[in-house]
Amino acid sequence: MVDEMIEEAKAALRLRARAARAALDFGERAEAAAAVARHFFHGIALQQSDVVAAYWRIRDEVDCQPILVKLMDDNQTVVLPVVLGADEPLDLRVWEQGASLYESGFGTLAPSELAPKAEPDVVLMPLLGFDKLGTRLGYGGGYYDRTLAKLKKRPKLIGLAYAAQELKRIPREAHDVPLDAVITEAGIRHFGQPA
């Protein structure tokens, strides 16, 4: 009963967060993506050995391509997620400099199935909403939850969002892993230890 109530509350929040994100025009989204990239590189400390999991934007998510391009130019190891099945964790494949990307479902692109896999030290996560406690509201498919549960180590989790996606409170369930930080066009908010 409690789980049902939480899921209903999350469904309503997803609708509100989608509407807030969809209300932004193309110019606002492009400016926000550039600002998010600046904040990321000025505020998140990366080691050269760090593996960074990012994503290829779908729909009106914050575009992390400006971050991806600079990471690749800096020879940082980057992995992109691939959906293998509805109840499976994401497959995290290394995107090597110059390698082609292929359609991998949901309108996203990813490295080929022959690409090596790697566990990330930092995960850049798309989201529908976030709150002041670092709770992430995803699409409800559980892909990131399953992926994080199977990793050998807990990576730093950084949500990428528009400031308009902040919600007052998101119910958190036991399997919901809070974000370490969220980056919007307005800056970085840390929820745990600073970067």
Side-chain angles (χ1 to χ4, degrees), residues 53-158:
Y55 61 91
W56 200 264
R57 174 187 61 86
I58 57 173
R59 294 183 290 275
D60 50 9
E61 292 174 342
V62 169
D63 189 356
C64 76
Q65 199 167 352
I67 295 172
L68 283 168
V69 169
K70 181 158 177 25
L71 289 172
M72 297 292 282
D73 288 347
D74 292 347
N75 294 312
Q76 196 81 40
T77 300
V78 172
V79 295
L80 294 175
V82 179
V83 175
L84 297 177
D87 295 321
E88 298 292 321
L90 297 167
D91 199 26
L92 299 173
R93 298 180 189 162
V94 176
W95 184 24
E96 295 174 327
Q97 193 72 278
S100 295
L101 294 175
Y102 301 91
E103 288 185 25
S104 64
F106 296 102
T108 189
L109 299 175
S112 96
E113 60 189 29
L114 302 175
K117 299 173 187 175
E119 286 214 358
D121 299 290
V122 176
V123 178
L124 303 180
M125 305 174 83
L127 50 82
L128 278 172
F130 67 93
D131 67 16
K132 65 183 179 181
L133 300 175
T135 307
R136 172 186 175 268
L137 181 66
Y139 295 98
Y143 292 105
Y144 279 97
D145 294 328
R146 287 189 295 278
T147 303
L148 294 172
K150 78 163 188 138
L151 297 177
K152 294 181 183 96
K153 61 184 176 191
R154 186 195 185 284
K156 180 179 291 197
L157 304 178
I158 302 172

Side-chain angles (χ1 to χ4, degrees), residues 35-58:
V36 166
R38 281 193 307 275
H39 295 310
F40 175 77
F41 288 108
H42 288 127
I44 302 296
L46 293 177
Q47 303 298 316
Q48 189 60 49
S49 61
D50 285 345
V51 174
V52 180
Y55 61 91
W56 200 264
R57 174 187 61 86
I58 57 173

